[in-house]
Amino acid sequence: MNGPILHERPAAPASWRIALPHTVAAVPVARALVRTALAELEHAADSATAELLTAELVANAVEHTSGDAPIELVVELLPTGCQVEVHDPDPVPPGDLTRPRGEDPDPWQEHGRGLLLIRSLSSSCGHRATESGKAVWFRLPVVPRQRRP
């Protein structure tokens, strides 16, 4: 006689939400927070890519919004990967996040590659309005540990 069939429940998503200062000092802090969050999982998204894309979102939020209102970082670990959002007080959507301009960034300029990186390296990305401005987000899929660099 067979015993009862046990069904494993998928792991509940975990999330972190933290306010960051509206300065460039927020960039390395955000990278460290994402690295720490992803280290919590046995199977996680590629930490190096998540850190890079998070740094781009935070740097854009600091550079392209005015004032000193904090920027909020939200990291959500999902059974299928992770989603990272950066909330800022400016309601204006980021240019060219989901649609490329049709021209390559100038190789001699320091700026202009962040949104291209986010579009190219994430499984999906976008933005949405919030009560206090907007959230810009990206998702990365799970990468099994043995395949991680």
Side-chain angles (χ1 to χ4, degrees):
M1 183 178 234
N2 293 337
I5 298 173
L6 300 176
H7 296 282
E8 288 187 32
R9 301 183 92 183
S15 64
W16 290 263
R17 182 179 293 261
I18 188 163
L20 299 171
H22 195 272
T23 68
V24 294
V27 175
V29 172
R31 288 181 75 119
L33 290 168
V34 166
R35 181 181 328 113
T36 301
L38 294 181
E40 297 288 318
L41 288 182
E42 185 174 320
H43 294 347
D46 176 24
S47 180
T49 301
E51 287 182 53
L52 172 67
L53 301 185
T54 299
E56 291 295 337
L57 287 185
V58 172
N60 281 350
V62 169
E63 182 177 342
H64 298 293
T65 63
S66 59
D68 59 359
I71 292 165
E72 190 171 45
L73 174 68
V74 179
V75 180
E76 187 171 7
L77 303 179
L78 308 164
T80 58
C82 75
Q83 178 169 309
V84 175
E85 288 187 346
V86 173
H87 296 229
D88 68 55
D90 188 350
V92 177
D96 306 321
L97 178 63
T98 56
R99 288 179 318 212
R101 279 185 282 183
E103 59 191 58
D104 292 331
D106 183 341
W108 300 105
Q109 297 297 314
E110 281 188 32
H111 303 303
R113 292 175 190 78
L115 296 179
L116 173 63
L117 283 171
I118 293 165
R119 280 194 318 269
S120 301
L121 298 177
S122 67
S123 58
S124 59
C125 60
H127 59 86
R128 63 184 174 79
T130 64
E131 288 181 16
S132 60
K134 71 175 170 297
V136 184
W137 58 270
F138 68 85
R139 288 189 188 123
L140 292 175
V142 166
V143 176
R145 276 205 192 277
Q146 67 270 18
R147 293 187 45 204
R148 281 194 232 165

Coordinates of all heavy atoms in Angstrom, one line a residue, residues 33-118:
L33 N 23.0 45.2 -1.5 CA 21.7 44.6 -1.1 C 21.2 43.6 -2.0 O 20.7 42.5 -1.6 CB 20.7 45.8 -0.9 CG 20.9 46.7 0.2 CD1 20.1 48.0 0.1 CD2 20.7 46.0 1.6
V34 N 21.4 43.8 -3.3 CA 20.9 42.8 -4.3 C 21.8 41.5 -4.2 O 21.3 40.4 -4.2 CB 21.0 43.4 -5.7 CG1 20.9 42.3 -6.8 CG2 19.9 44.4 -5.9
R35 N 23.1 41.7 -4.0 CA 24.0 40.6 -3.9 C 23.6 39.7 -2.6 O 23.5 38.5 -2.7 CB 25.5 41.1 -3.7 CG 26.5 39.9 -3.6 CD 27.9 40.5 -3.4 NE 28.2 41.7 -4.1 CZ 28.4 42.9 -3.5 NH1 28.5 42.9 -2.2 NH2 28.7 44.0 -4.2
T36 N 23.4 40.4 -1.5 CA 23.0 39.7 -0.3 C 21.6 39.0 -0.5 O 21.5 37.8 0.0 CB 22.9 40.7 0.9 OG1 24.2 41.3 1.0 CG2 22.5 40.1 2.2
A37 N 20.7 39.6 -1.1 CA 19.3 39.0 -1.3 C 19.4 37.8 -2.1 O 18.9 36.7 -1.8 CB 18.4 40.0 -1.9
L38 N 20.2 37.8 -3.2 CA 20.3 36.7 -4.1 C 21.1 35.6 -3.5 O 20.9 34.4 -3.8 CB 20.9 37.1 -5.5 CG 20.0 38.0 -6.3 CD1 20.7 38.4 -7.6 CD2 18.6 37.5 -6.5
A39 N 22.0 35.8 -2.6 CA 22.8 34.8 -1.9 C 21.9 34.0 -1.0 O 22.3 32.8 -0.6 CB 23.9 35.5 -1.1
E40 N 20.7 34.5 -0.7 CA 19.8 33.7 0.2 C 19.2 32.5 -0.5 O 18.7 31.6 0.2 CB 18.7 34.6 0.7 CG 19.1 35.8 1.5 CD 19.6 35.4 2.9 OE1 18.9 34.6 3.5 OE2 20.6 36.0 3.3
L41 N 19.2 32.5 -1.8 CA 18.6 31.4 -2.5 C 19.5 30.3 -2.9 O 20.7 30.6 -3.3 CB 17.9 32.0 -3.8 CG 16.7 32.8 -3.6 CD1 16.2 33.2 -5.0 CD2 15.6 32.1 -2.8
E42 N 19.0 29.1 -3.0 CA 19.8 28.0 -3.5 C 19.9 28.1 -5.0 O 21.0 27.9 -5.6 CB 19.2 26.7 -3.1 CG 20.0 25.5 -3.6 CD 19.4 24.2 -3.1 OE1 18.9 24.2 -1.9 OE2 19.4 23.2 -3.8
H43 N 18.8 28.5 -5.7 CA 18.8 28.8 -7.1 C 18.4 30.2 -7.2 O 17.4 30.6 -6.8 CB 17.8 27.9 -7.8 CG 18.1 26.4 -7.8 ND1 19.3 25.9 -7.5 CD2 17.4 25.4 -8.2 CE1 19.3 24.6 -7.6 NE2 18.1 24.3 -8.0
A44 N 19.2 31.0 -7.9 CA 18.9 32.4 -7.9 C 19.3 32.9 -9.3 O 19.9 32.3 -10.1 CB 19.7 33.2 -6.9
A45 N 18.9 34.2 -9.5 CA 19.3 34.9 -10.8 C 20.8 35.2 -10.7 O 21.4 35.1 -9.6 CB 18.5 36.1 -10.9
D46 N 21.4 35.4 -11.8 CA 22.8 35.8 -11.9 C 23.0 37.1 -11.1 O 22.6 38.1 -11.5 CB 23.1 35.9 -13.4 CG 24.6 36.4 -13.6 OD1 25.4 36.2 -12.7 OD2 24.8 37.0 -14.7
S47 N 23.8 36.9 -10.0 CA 24.0 38.0 -9.1 C 24.8 39.2 -9.8 O 24.5 40.3 -9.6 CB 24.8 37.5 -7.9 OG 25.0 38.6 -7.0
A48 N 25.8 38.9 -10.6 CA 26.6 39.9 -11.3 C 25.7 40.7 -12.2 O 25.8 42.0 -12.2 CB 27.7 39.3 -12.0
T49 N 24.8 40.1 -13.0 CA 23.9 40.8 -13.9 C 22.9 41.6 -13.1 O 22.7 42.8 -13.4 CB 23.2 39.9 -14.8 OG1 24.2 39.1 -15.6 CG2 22.3 40.6 -15.8
A50 N 22.4 41.0 -12.0 CA 21.4 41.8 -11.2 C 22.1 43.0 -10.5 O 21.5 44.1 -10.5 CB 20.9 40.8 -10.1
E51 N 23.3 42.9 -10.1 CA 24.0 44.0 -9.5 C 24.2 45.1 -10.5 O 24.0 46.3 -10.2 CB 25.4 43.6 -8.9 CG 25.3 42.8 -7.6 CD 26.7 42.5 -7.1 OE1 27.5 43.4 -7.0 OE2 26.9 41.3 -6.9
L52 N 24.7 44.7 -11.7 CA 24.9 45.7 -12.8 C 23.7 46.5 -13.1 O 23.7 47.7 -13.2 CB 25.5 45.0 -14.0 CG 25.6 45.9 -15.3 CD1 26.7 47.0 -15.1 CD2 26.0 45.0 -16.5
L53 N 22.6 45.7 -13.4 CA 21.3 46.4 -13.8 C 20.7 47.2 -12.7 O 20.2 48.3 -12.9 CB 20.3 45.3 -14.3 CG 20.8 44.5 -15.5 CD1 19.7 43.6 -15.9 CD2 21.3 45.4 -16.6
T54 N 20.9 46.8 -11.4 CA 20.4 47.6 -10.3 C 21.2 48.9 -10.2 O 20.6 49.9 -10.0 CB 20.6 46.8 -9.0 OG1 19.8 45.6 -9.1 CG2 20.2 47.6 -7.8
A55 N 22.5 48.8 -10.4 CA 23.4 50.0 -10.4 C 22.9 51.0 -11.4 O 22.9 52.2 -11.2 CB 24.8 49.6 -10.5
E56 N 22.6 50.5 -12.6 CA 22.1 51.4 -13.7 C 20.8 52.0 -13.3 O 20.6 53.2 -13.5 CB 21.9 50.6 -15.0 CG 23.2 50.1 -15.6 CD 24.1 51.2 -16.1 OE1 23.6 52.3 -16.3 OE2 25.3 51.0 -16.2
L57 N 19.8 51.3 -12.7 CA 18.6 51.9 -12.4 C 18.7 52.9 -11.3 O 18.1 54.0 -11.3 CB 17.6 50.8 -11.9 CG 17.0 49.9 -12.9 CD1 15.9 49.0 -12.2 CD2 16.3 50.6 -14.0
V58 N 19.5 52.6 -10.3 CA 19.7 53.6 -9.2 C 20.5 54.8 -9.7 O 20.1 55.9 -9.3 CB 20.5 52.9 -8.0 CG1 20.8 53.9 -6.9 CG2 19.6 51.8 -7.4
A59 N 21.5 54.6 -10.5 CA 22.3 55.8 -11.0 C 21.3 56.7 -11.9 O 21.4 57.9 -11.8 CB 23.5 55.3 -11.8
N60 N 20.5 56.0 -12.7 CA 19.5 56.8 -13.5 C 18.6 57.6 -12.6 O 18.3 58.8 -12.9 CB 18.8 55.9 -14.4 CG 19.6 55.5 -15.7 OD1 20.6 56.1 -15.9 ND2 19.0 54.6 -16.4
A61 N 18.1 57.0 -11.5 CA 17.1 57.6 -10.6 C 17.8 58.8 -10.0 O 17.2 59.9 -9.8 CB 16.6 56.6 -9.6
V62 N 19.0 58.7 -9.5 CA 19.7 59.8 -8.9 C 20.0 60.9 -9.9 O 19.8 62.1 -9.6 CB 21.1 59.3 -8.3 CG1 22.0 60.4 -7.8 CG2 20.8 58.3 -7.1
E63 N 20.5 60.5 -11.1 CA 20.9 61.5 -12.1 C 19.7 62.3 -12.7 O 19.8 63.4 -13.0 CB 21.7 60.9 -13.2 CG 22.2 61.8 -14.2 CD 23.1 61.2 -15.3 OE1 23.6 60.1 -15.0 OE2 23.3 61.8 -16.3
H64 N 18.6 61.6 -12.9 CA 17.5 62.1 -13.7 C 16.3 62.6 -12.9 O 15.3 63.0 -13.5 CB 17.1 61.1 -14.8 CG 18.2 60.8 -15.8 ND1 18.7 61.7 -16.7 CD2 18.9 59.7 -16.0 CE1 19.6 61.2 -17.4 NE2 19.8 59.9 -17.0
T65 N 16.4 62.6 -11.6 CA 15.3 63.1 -10.8 C 15.9 64.2 -9.9 O 17.1 64.1 -9.4 CB 14.6 62.1 -9.9 OG1 15.6 61.5 -9.0 CG2 14.0 61.0 -10.8
S66 N 15.2 65.2 -9.6 CA 15.7 66.3 -8.8 C 15.2 66.2 -7.3 O 14.3 65.3 -7.0 CB 15.2 67.7 -9.3 OG 13.8 67.7 -9.4
G67 N 15.7 67.0 -6.5 CA 15.3 67.0 -5.1 C 16.1 66.0 -4.2 O 17.1 65.4 -4.7
D68 N 15.7 65.9 -3.0 CA 16.5 65.0 -2.1 C 15.6 63.9 -1.5 O 16.0 63.2 -0.6 CB 17.2 65.7 -1.0 CG 16.3 66.5 -0.2 OD1 15.0 66.5 -0.4 OD2 16.7 67.2 0.8
A69 N 14.4 63.7 -2.1 CA 13.6 62.6 -1.6 C 14.3 61.2 -1.8 O 15.0 61.1 -2.9 CB 12.2 62.6 -2.4
P70 N 14.2 60.3 -0.9 CA 14.9 59.0 -1.1 C 14.4 58.3 -2.3 O 13.3 58.5 -2.8 CB 14.5 58.3 0.2 CG 13.8 59.2 1.1 CD 13.4 60.4 0.3
I71 N 15.2 57.4 -2.7 CA 14.9 56.5 -3.8 C 14.7 55.1 -3.1 O 15.3 54.8 -2.1 CB 16.1 56.3 -4.7 CG1 16.3 57.6 -5.5 CG2 16.0 55.2 -5.7 CD1 17.6 57.8 -6.2
E72 N 13.7 54.4 -3.5 CA 13.4 53.1 -2.9 C 13.8 51.9 -3.8 O 13.5 51.9 -4.9 CB 11.9 53.0 -2.6 CG 11.5 51.9 -1.7 CD 10.1 52.0 -1.2 OE1 9.2 52.3 -2.1 OE2 9.8 51.8 0.0
L73 N 14.5 51.0 -3.2 CA 14.9 49.8 -3.8 C 14.0 48.6 -3.3 O 13.8 48.5 -2.1 CB 16.4 49.4 -3.5 CG 16.9 48.1 -4.1 CD1 16.9 48.1 -5.6 CD2 18.3 47.8 -3.5
V74 N 13.4 47.9 -4.3 CA 12.6 46.7 -3.9 C 13.1 45.5 -4.7 O 13.2 45.6 -5.9 CB 11.1 47.0 -4.3 CG1 10.2 45.8 -4.0 CG2 10.5 48.2 -3.7
V75 N 13.5 44.5 -3.9 CA 14.0 43.3 -4.5 C 13.0 42.2 -4.1 O 12.8 42.0 -3.0 CB 15.4 42.9 -4.0 CG1 15.9 41.6 -4.6 CG2 16.4 44.1 -4.2
E76 N 12.5 41.5 -5.1 CA 11.6 40.4 -4.9 C 12.2 39.1 -5.5 O 12.5 39.1 -6.7 CB 10.2 40.7 -5.5 CG 9.2 39.7 -5.1 CD 7.8 40.1 -5.6 OE1 7.6 41.1 -6.3 OE2 6.8 39.4 -5.2
L77 N 12.3 38.1 -4.6 CA 12.8 36.8 -5.1 C 11.5 35.9 -5.4 O 10.7 35.8 -4.5 CB 13.6 36.2 -4.0 CG 14.8 37.0 -3.5 CD1 15.6 36.2 -2.5 CD2 15.7 37.3 -4.7
L78 N 11.5 35.4 -6.6 CA 10.3 34.7 -7.0 C 10.8 33.2 -7.4 O 12.0 33.0 -7.6 CB 9.8 35.3 -8.3 CG 9.4 36.8 -8.2 CD1 9.2 37.4 -9.6 CD2 8.2 37.0 -7.4
P79 N 9.9 32.3 -7.4 CA 10.3 30.9 -7.8 C 10.9 30.9 -9.2 O 11.8 30.0 -9.5 CB 9.0 30.1 -7.8 CG 8.1 30.9 -6.8 CD 8.5 32.3 -7.0
T80 N 10.6 31.8 -10.0 CA 11.1 31.9 -11.4 C 12.4 32.8 -11.6 O 12.9 32.8 -12.6 CB 10.1 32.3 -12.4 OG1 9.6 33.6 -12.0 CG2 8.9 31.4 -12.4
G81 N 12.8 33.5 -10.5 CA 13.9 34.4 -10.6 C 13.8 35.5 -9.7 O 13.4 35.3 -8.5
C82 N 14.1 36.7 -10.1 CA 14.0 37.9 -9.3 C 13.5 39.1 -10.1 O 13.6 39.1 -11.3 CB 15.3 38.2 -8.6 SG 16.5 39.0 -9.7
Q83 N 12.9 40.0 -9.3 CA 12.5 41.3 -9.9 C 13.0 42.4 -9.0 O 12.9 42.3 -7.8 CB 11.0 41.4 -10.0 CG 10.6 42.8 -10.5 CD 9.1 42.9 -10.9 OE1 8.6 42.0 -11.6 NE2 8.4 43.9 -10.4
V84 N 13.7 43.4 -9.6 CA 14.2 44.5 -8.9 C 13.5 45.7 -9.4 O 13.4 45.9 -10.6 CB 15.7 44.6 -9.2 CG1 16.3 45.9 -8.5 CG2 16.5 43.4 -8.6
E85 N 13.0 46.6 -8.5 CA 12.4 47.8 -8.8 C 13.1 49.0 -8.1 O 13.6 48.8 -7.0 CB 11.0 47.9 -8.3 CG 10.0 47.0 -9.1 CD 8.6 47.3 -8.6 OE1 8.3 47.9 -7.6 OE2 7.7 46.8 -9.3
V86 N 13.2 50.1 -8.8 CA 13.7 51.3 -8.2 C 12.6 52.4 -8.3 O 12.2 52.7 -9.4 CB 15.0 51.8 -8.8 CG1 15.5 53.1 -8.3 CG2 16.1 50.7 -8.6
H87 N 12.2 52.9 -7.2 CA 11.1 53.9 -7.1 C 11.8 55.3 -7.0 O 12.7 55.4 -6.2 CB 10.2 53.6 -5.9 CG 9.5 52.4 -6.0 ND1 8.1 52.3 -5.8 CD2 9.9 51.1 -6.3 CE1 7.7 51.0 -5.9 NE2 8.8 50.3 -6.2
D88 N 11.3 56.2 -7.8 CA 11.8 57.6 -7.6 C 10.6 58.5 -7.7 O 9.5 58.1 -8.1 CB 12.9 57.9 -8.6 CG 12.4 58.0 -10.1 OD1 11.4 58.8 -10.3 OD2 12.9 57.3 -10.9
P89 N 10.8 59.8 -7.2 CA 9.7 60.7 -7.1 C 9.3 61.4 -8.5 O 8.3 62.1 -8.5 CB 10.2 61.8 -6.2 CG 11.7 61.8 -6.3 CD 12.0 60.3 -6.7
D90 N 10.0 61.1 -9.6 CA 9.6 61.8 -10.8 C 8.6 60.9 -11.6 O 9.0 59.7 -11.9 CB 10.9 62.0 -11.6 CG 10.7 62.8 -12.9 OD1 9.5 63.1 -13.3 OD2 11.7 63.1 -13.5
P91 N 7.4 61.4 -12.0 CA 6.5 60.6 -12.7 C 6.8 60.4 -14.2 O 6.2 59.5 -14.8 CB 5.2 61.4 -12.5 CG 5.6 62.8 -12.4 CD 6.9 62.7 -11.6
V92 N 7.8 61.1 -14.7 CA 8.1 61.0 -16.1 C 8.7 59.6 -16.4 O 9.7 59.3 -15.8 CB 9.1 62.1 -16.6 CG1 9.5 62.0 -18.0 CG2 8.4 63.5 -16.3
P93 N 8.2 58.9 -17.4 CA 8.7 57.6 -17.7 C 10.2 57.7 -18.2 O 10.5 58.7 -18.9 CB 7.8 57.0 -18.8 CG 6.6 57.9 -18.8 CD 7.0 59.2 -18.2
P94 N 11.0 56.6 -18.0 CA 12.3 56.6 -18.5 C 12.3 56.5 -20.1 O 11.5 55.7 -20.6 CB 13.0 55.4 -17.9 CG 11.8 54.5 -17.6 CD 10.7 55.4 -17.3
G95 N 13.1 57.3 -20.8 CA 13.1 57.2 -22.2 C 13.7 55.9 -22.7 O 14.7 55.5 -22.1
D96 N 13.1 55.3 -23.7 CA 13.7 54.2 -24.4 C 14.0 53.0 -23.6 O 14.9 52.2 -23.9 CB 15.0 54.6 -25.1 CG 14.8 55.8 -26.0 OD1 13.8 55.9 -26.7 OD2 15.7 56.7 -26.0
L97 N 13.2 52.8 -22.5 CA 13.5 51.6 -21.7 C 12.9 50.3 -22.4 O 13.6 49.3 -22.5 CB 12.8 51.7 -20.3 CG 12.9 50.4 -19.5 CD1 14.4 50.1 -19.1 CD2 12.2 50.6 -18.2
T98 N 11.7 50.4 -22.9 CA 11.1 49.3 -23.6 C 11.2 49.3 -25.1 O 10.9 48.3 -25.8 CB 9.7 49.1 -23.1 OG1 8.9 50.3 -23.4 CG2 9.6 48.7 -21.6
R99 N 11.5 50.5 -25.6 CA 11.7 50.6 -27.1 C 13.0 51.3 -27.4 O 13.2 52.4 -27.0 CB 10.6 51.5 -27.7 CG 9.2 50.8 -27.7 CD 8.2 51.8 -28.2 NE 8.6 53.1 -27.7 CZ 7.8 54.1 -27.4 NH1 6.6 54.0 -27.7 NH2 8.2 55.2 -26.8
P100 N 13.8 50.6 -28.2 CA 15.1 51.3 -28.6 C 14.9 52.4 -29.5 O 13.9 52.5 -30.2 CB 15.9 50.2 -29.3 CG 14.9 49.1 -29.6 CD 13.7 49.3 -28.7
R101 N 15.8 53.4 -29.4 CA 15.6 54.6 -30.3 C 15.9 54.3 -31.7 O 15.6 55.1 -32.6 CB 16.6 55.7 -29.8 CG 16.2 56.4 -28.7 CD 17.2 57.5 -28.4 NE 18.3 56.9 -27.7 CZ 19.3 57.5 -27.2 NH1 19.4 58.8 -27.4 NH2 20.3 56.9 -26.6
G102 N 16.6 53.2 -32.0 CA 17.0 52.9 -33.4 C 18.4 53.3 -33.7 O 18.9 53.1 -34.8
E103 N 19.1 53.9 -32.8 CA 20.4 54.3 -33.0 C 21.3 53.8 -31.8 O 20.8 53.6 -30.7 CB 20.6 55.9 -33.0 CG 20.1 56.5 -31.8 CD 19.9 58.0 -31.9 OE1 19.2 58.5 -32.8 OE2 20.6 58.7 -31.2
D104 N 22.5 53.5 -32.2 CA 23.5 53.0 -31.1 C 24.0 54.1 -30.3 O 24.1 55.3 -30.8 CB 24.6 52.3 -31.8 CG 24.2 51.0 -32.5 OD1 23.2 50.4 -32.0 OD2 24.9 50.6 -33.5
P105 N 24.3 53.8 -29.0 CA 24.9 54.9 -28.2 C 26.2 55.3 -28.8 O 26.9 54.5 -29.4 CB 25.1 54.2 -26.8 CG 24.2 53.0 -26.8 CD 24.1 52.6 -28.3
D106 N 26.6 56.6 -28.5 CA 27.8 57.1 -29.0 C 29.0 56.5 -28.2 O 29.0 56.6 -27.0 CB 27.8 58.6 -28.8 CG 29.1 59.3 -29.3 OD1 30.1 58.6 -29.5 OD2 29.1 60.6 -29.5
P107 N 29.9 55.8 -28.8 CA 30.9 55.1 -28.1 C 31.9 56.0 -27.3 O 32.6 55.6 -26.5 CB 31.7 54.3 -29.2 CG 31.4 55.0 -30.4 CD 30.0 55.6 -30.3
W108 N 31.9 57.3 -27.7 CA 32.8 58.2 -27.0 C 32.1 58.9 -25.8 O 32.8 59.7 -25.1 CB 33.3 59.3 -28.0 CG 34.0 58.6 -29.2 CD1 33.5 58.4 -30.4 CD2 35.3 58.0 -29.1 NE1 34.4 57.7 -31.1 CE2 35.5 57.5 -30.4 CE3 36.3 57.9 -28.1 CZ2 36.7 56.8 -30.7 CZ3 37.4 57.2 -28.4 CH2 37.7 56.7 -29.7
Q109 N 30.9 58.7 -25.6 CA 30.2 59.3 -24.5 C 30.1 58.4 -23.3 O 30.0 57.2 -23.4 CB 28.8 59.7 -24.9 CG 28.7 60.8 -26.0 CD 29.3 62.1 -25.6 OE1 29.1 62.6 -24.5 NE2 30.2 62.6 -26.4
E110 N 30.1 59.0 -22.1 CA 30.0 58.2 -20.8 C 28.6 57.7 -20.6 O 28.4 56.7 -20.0 CB 30.4 59.0 -19.6 CG 31.8 59.2 -19.4 CD 32.1 59.9 -18.1 OE1 31.4 59.7 -17.1 OE2 33.1 60.6 -18.1
H111 N 27.6 58.4 -21.1 CA 26.2 58.1 -20.8 C 25.5 57.4 -22.1 O 26.1 57.4 -23.1 CB 25.4 59.3 -20.4 CG 26.0 60.0 -19.3 ND1 26.2 59.4 -18.1 CD2 26.5 61.3 -19.1 CE1 26.8 60.3 -17.2 NE2 27.0 61.4 -17.8
G112 N 24.4 56.9 -21.8 CA 23.6 56.4 -22.9 C 23.5 54.9 -23.1 O 22.8 54.4 -24.0
R113 N 24.1 54.1 -22.2 CA 24.1 52.7 -22.4 C 23.3 51.9 -21.3 O 23.1 50.8 -21.4 CB 25.6 52.1 -22.3 CG 26.4 52.6 -23.5 CD 27.8 52.1 -23.4 NE 28.6 52.7 -24.4 CZ 29.1 53.9 -24.4 NH1 28.8 54.7 -23.4 NH2 29.8 54.4 -25.4
G114 N 22.9 52.6 -20.2 CA 22.3 52.0 -19.1 C 21.0 51.3 -19.5 O 20.7 50.1 -19.2
L115 N 20.1 52.0 -20.2 CA 18.8 51.4 -20.6 C 19.0 50.3 -21.6 O 18.3 49.3 -21.7 CB 17.9 52.5 -21.1 CG 17.4 53.5 -20.1 CD1 16.5 54.5 -20.7 CD2 16.8 52.9 -18.8
L116 N 20.0 50.5 -22.5 CA 20.4 49.4 -23.5 C 20.8 48.1 -22.7 O 20.3 47.0 -23.1 CB 21.5 49.9 -24.4 CG 22.1 48.8 -25.4 CD1 21.0 48.4 -26.3 CD2 23.3 49.4 -26.1
L117 N 21.6 48.3 -21.7 CA 22.0 47.1 -20.9 C 20.8 46.4 -20.2 O 20.7 45.2 -20.3 CB 23.0 47.5 -19.8 CG 24.4 47.8 -20.2 CD1 25.2 48.4 -19.1 CD2 25.1 46.5 -20.7
I118 N 19.9 47.2 -19.7 CA 18.7 46.7 -19.0 C 17.8 46.0 -20.0 O 17.4 44.8 -19.8 CB 18.0 47.8 -18.3 CG1 18.8 48.3 -17.1 CG2 16.6 47.3 -17.8 CD1 18.3 49.6 -16.5

